[in-house]
Amino acid sequence: MTGPTMINAYRAFLFSKGWITTPIAAAILLLHIAPAVSAAQAQESILNNYTGVAYANTKTLFAVGNNGTIARSIDGGKQWAAESFTCGITSAFNSICFIDVSHGFVVGEKGTLIATTSGGDSWFKIAIGQTQDLQWISFFDDQRGTIVGRGGTIVHSNDGGITWKAQASGTTNDLNSVSFSDQNNGTIVGAQGTILKTSNGGDTWEDISSSFISCMLSSVVFSGLNGLIVGDNGTILFTSNGGAKWTLVPSGTGNFLLSAAAASSHSFAVVGKKGFIETSDNGKMTWTKRSAPDTKDLNDAAFINESNGVAVGDGNVILTTNDGGAKWNTASLAYAPFQKRTAERTSSPRIVATVSGANGLLIQSKDFGETWTELSANADKTFMAIAASGESFSIAVGLAGQCIASQDNGNSWISLNSGTKKSLYSAAVINSSTAIVAGDYGIILRTTDGGKTWNSPSLNILNHLRSVAFADDSVGCIVGSGGMILFSTDQGTTWTKRISQAFQWLNDIVPIDKSNWIALGAGGFILQSTDKGSTWQTRTSGVTADLLSAYFFDTKNGIAVGSGGTIIQTQDAGKTWSLLTSPTTNDLRNIQFFDAAHGLIIGEAGTILRTSDGGKTWDFVQYSKPLSFFGICIN
């Protein structure tokens, strides 16, 4: 890449990230960080030390380093493209792992964790409540992952990295690496010869450090029951029983060994300071030093099979081998934005967000709302609501009785005959075949066969119904105009009126649990019941805006949104509310969360707001069409 070409690519990258907005600003910024030097010098100034590398599949690899840098190869490691300042991060990344070709994680300084569900096309931050530098991340399977870091930090996930929980390590020593031999047995290594072992999947950790080893241990890796630990002073420890016992083996070097990689259960490679590489492929732990084409420190290595591997290090060094580590070649590295490779993704995301809107619009996100794809719904009327179960069944309803359903998490949709021309404003999915929808003039429809047929309970009401929700498989509530509140305890088969002593228009009903319910309405009106809807009390919201939607994280903490960009929160189960800062004055119509940290708000004029800190702050997500959004579901 020539010098001007690189500068133009970097300028385009800065514009795409929104960090500069004018050509003048671009010129000033580029003069500061990219003076007129050769392409190699410019690249060196942007990309520095690579500290972690991982395979997503046989062809796709990722490496991470300082300046928030992520590099990707799509040809098995021969050529690489790199981007810096990922997610606006300027500090160092330390480790990367991929569960499959779509789902990957990166950890770094100051408690940084980012993830991708799009094969590295886009990344998003995950808040896990850590401030220590995170040194290593490893997943044993697609659900169970562990992060280790400085100060004895251990954080564990049992749900594919969606949520993380801190664990007690029993030490304040820095922890550098973690690996599991099976679902129960794992090993962590760190400073001062620290070795921790678990035999219960990481629930608890036992210190099995040896008094004869006090050096820095930098890496641990397993392939089946065989495992390797490496560290300073040429230290190599070997196990053949899943980490129950470790034996010191001669390495033939006093070098600081920084990483170990397993090519198979009997083939290993280690890399270290000053370009040191050695391999063992006989299962007897005898080592052969290999020649590296560079003398810079090598910080990490990985193999996808017995032949093909990669090592990364300081000064942009990326080396590849196709003969099990006997010979190593320097890979080609360029600074350029990634090209998206959607065709290569093979696995489905764990969490899907689908938004409904004007003119039959449906859009879907598989990366916590960062990017969106328009779905084909074959509809032209506005969808007012969308709902889903945890079993892939989704339903969207809208004006003039429009109704569609999906049985594959919203990837494809079929039109349904609702049997009405009345507008439908709300939907709730109870299980894989049962759903309730409600709308204008008291219309309530129920299906038990996935929407093929619908029944309507006999109710003599003409109120406009705006929200339906269920606390469990049986107990549900519907609210609407004139303070109308209806309750069901039989999956929506029958409904009973409840007295609210309110005449305001109620826009949303939210169950905190089976007994506690919150109803939101016009003019900042809030009703609360703590006795399964038998009695209702008014609550002070502190706002006069129409409140349109709410979400509760648990029995105490919730957020509500409404007209004029209103966002309010409660921390005492809805008794009191406080105003939060909003980045918009557009009407906000719906709010949902993926987990305790990541959530979305949607509204008029194409408004999509995204949070990664539990709703404390919200950022705009750009969407190409300025159509209004009304419904959102997360499945």
Side-chain angles (χ1 to χ4, degrees):
M1 183 181 289
T2 64
T5 301
M6 175 168 289
I7 291 173
N8 288 334
Y10 191 58
R11 180 185 289 114
F13 174 64
L14 294 173
F15 273 113
S16 72
K17 296 296 184 183
W19 295 339
I20 54 175
T21 56
T22 67
I24 295 176
I28 294 172
L29 184 57
L30 287 168
L31 284 172
H32 176 67
I33 66 173
V37 295
S38 69
Q41 290 172 320
Q43 187 180 92
E44 185 81 15
S45 69
I46 297 172
L47 304 177
N48 295 299
N49 304 331
Y50 284 106
T51 51
V53 65
Y55 280 86
N57 61 15
T58 56
K59 292 294 184 180
T60 306
L61 301 86
F62 290 82
V64 296
N66 58 347
N67 300 318
T69 300
I70 300 179
R72 177 166 64 180
S73 172
I74 57 175
D75 61 2
K78 297 177 183 178
Q79 297 180 328
W80 295 73
E83 287 185 349
S84 291
F85 316 123
T86 306
C87 295
I89 295 170
T90 59
S91 56
F93 293 140
N94 294 323
S95 175
I96 182 170
C97 75
F98 267 75
I99 297 174
D100 53 44
V101 72
S102 296
H103 301 88
F105 299 86
V106 174
V107 296
E109 294 178 344
K110 301 176 182 178
T112 296
L113 173 62
I114 66 171
T116 180
T117 59
S118 60
D121 287 347
S122 60
W123 297 82
F124 51 88
K125 296 178 184 178
I126 298 178
I128 58 173
Q130 297 295 319
T131 58
Q132 294 276 8
D133 293 351
L134 305 178
Q135 301 290 86
W136 195 264
I137 182 169
S138 175
F139 272 78
F140 172 72
D141 54 26
D142 64 356
Q143 294 297 307
R144 287 164 290 193
T146 304
I147 297 170
V148 298
R150 296 194 184 278
T153 299
I154 305 177
V155 191
H156 187 72
S157 175
N158 281 316
D159 57 10
I162 298 171
T163 60
W164 295 84
K165 182 179 179 181
Q167 294 178 316
S169 66
T171 182
T172 58
N173 290 341
D174 293 345
L175 304 178
N176 298 320
S177 181
V178 57
S179 183
F180 277 73
S181 59
D182 58 38
Q183 63 182 3
N184 294 316
N185 295 283
T187 300
I188 293 173
V189 300
Q192 299 181 34
T194 298
I195 303 177
L196 306 179
K197 184 182 187 303
T198 182
S199 56
N200 54 18
D203 291 339
T204 58
W205 294 87
E206 175 189 3
D207 192 334
I208 61 168
S209 305
S210 170
S211 59
F212 298 102
I213 300 174
S214 59
C215 66
M216 175 70 76
L217 299 178
S218 52
S219 179
V220 58
V221 65
F222 281 96
S223 180
L225 294 178
N226 292 336
L228 212 64
I229 294 174
V230 301
D232 202 0
N233 304 322
T235 299
I236 297 180
L237 301 172
F238 176 74
T239 183
S240 59
N241 54 17
K245 181 181 179 181
W246 294 89
T247 303
L248 186 65
V249 298
S251 66
T253 182
N255 204 305
F256 195 156
L257 305 179
L258 297 174
S259 180
S264 69
S265 61
H266 60 272
S267 300
F268 293 86
V270 298
V271 300
K273 293 281 189 179
K274 299 180 181 179
F276 183 84
I277 303 175
E278 63 180 11
T279 62
S280 174
D281 58 6
N282 56 14
K284 297 180 181 179
M285 288 296 107
T286 57
W287 294 89
T288 303
K289 185 178 179 180
R290 304 300 185 178
S291 177
D294 202 292
T295 59
K296 296 185 178 71
D297 293 350
L298 298 175
N299 299 313
D300 195 21
F303 277 76
I304 189 65
N305 52 42
E306 288 195 58
S307 299
N308 298 289
V310 62
V312 298
D314 290 355
N316 299 326
V317 170
I318 301 180
L319 308 178
T320 62
T321 180
N322 58 15
D323 59 6
K327 295 181 181 179
W328 295 81
N329 302 303
T330 301
S332 173
L333 177 66
Y335 183 87
F338 297 153
Q339 292 183 346
K340 297 186 185 298
R341 306 194 72 248
T342 56
E344 186 174 307
R345 299 175 204 155
T346 59
S347 65
S348 298
R350 290 164 183 76
I351 302 180
V352 177
T354 309
V355 170
S356 63
N359 301 335
L361 179 67
L362 287 181
I363 60 173
Q364 191 175 83
S365 175
K366 300 180 179 180
D367 56 5
F368 284 179
E370 185 171 344
T371 60
W372 294 85
T373 301
E374 189 167 335
L375 303 177
S376 176
N378 296 318
D380 57 358
K381 297 179 179 64
T382 296
F383 287 115
M384 302 304 300
I386 185 168
S389 73
E391 302 172 355
S392 300
F393 177 41
S394 307
I395 191 167
V397 299
L399 302 184
Q402 181 171 259
C403 184
I404 60 174
S406 172
Q407 292 287 352
D408 57 6
N409 266 339
N411 292 316
S412 61
W413 295 83
I414 59 171
S415 295
L416 302 177
N417 181 9
S418 67
T420 183
K421 292 299 182 181
K422 296 176 181 177
S423 292
L424 304 173
Y425 282 84
S426 185
V429 174
I430 299 174
N431 54 45
S432 60
S433 59
T434 305
I436 307 292
V437 301
D440 278 350
Y441 301 103
I443 185 70
I444 301 175
L445 301 175
R446 181 175 184 265
T447 181
T448 58
D449 56 11
K452 295 176 183 178
T453 60
W454 297 86
N455 298 308
S456 181
S458 178
L459 283 173
N460 188 24
I461 61 172
L462 293 175
N463 302 68
H464 300 304
L465 305 178
R466 287 298 179 262
S467 180
V468 54
F470 276 76
D472 58 18
D473 287 349
S474 299
V475 180
C477 183
I478 295 175
V479 298
S481 63
M484 175 58 67
I485 300 177
L486 303 171
F487 254 82
S488 174
T489 58
D490 55 9
Q491 290 195 340
T493 303
T494 60
W495 295 87
T496 304
K497 295 179 185 178
R498 297 293 171 88
I499 304 300
S500 67
Q501 296 181 341
F503 299 97
Q504 283 83 353
W505 194 300
L506 300 179
N507 298 312
D508 194 25
I509 182 69
V510 182
I512 302 176
D513 55 40
K514 286 195 291 186
S515 297
N516 296 280
W517 295 76
I518 295 286
L520 310 175
F525 186 73
I526 297 179
L527 281 176
Q528 183 172 22
S529 173
T530 58
D531 55 8
K532 300 181 180 180
S534 297
T535 61
W536 295 82
Q537 297 80 39
T538 58
R539 303 300 187 195
T540 301
S541 68
V543 299
T544 57
D546 294 343
L547 297 177
L548 302 174
S549 179
Y551 180 90
F552 273 77
F553 305 96
D554 50 43
T555 56
K556 291 187 177 296
N557 298 284
I559 296 178
V561 300
S563 61
T566 299
I567 306 176
I568 59 176
Q569 71 169 354
T570 180
Q571 295 177 318
D572 56 8
K575 295 177 182 177
T576 61
W577 296 78
S578 59
L579 188 65
L580 295 179
T581 301
S582 174
T584 183
T585 57
N586 290 341
D587 290 350
L588 303 177
R589 303 187 183 277
N590 216 312
I591 178 172
Q592 288 289 321
F593 272 73
F594 300 93
D595 54 38
H598 301 87
L600 296 171
I601 297 173
I602 52 99
E604 69 174 349
T607 299
I608 302 177
L609 305 181
R610 182 171 174 264
T611 183
S612 59
D613 58 11
K616 296 176 183 177
T617 59
W618 296 86
D619 299 317
F620 273 102
V621 177
Q622 296 296 323
Y623 186 69
S624 57
K625 295 181 179 180
L627 298 174
S628 290
F629 300 125
F630 294 92
I632 181 172
C633 71
I634 292 175
N635 196 23

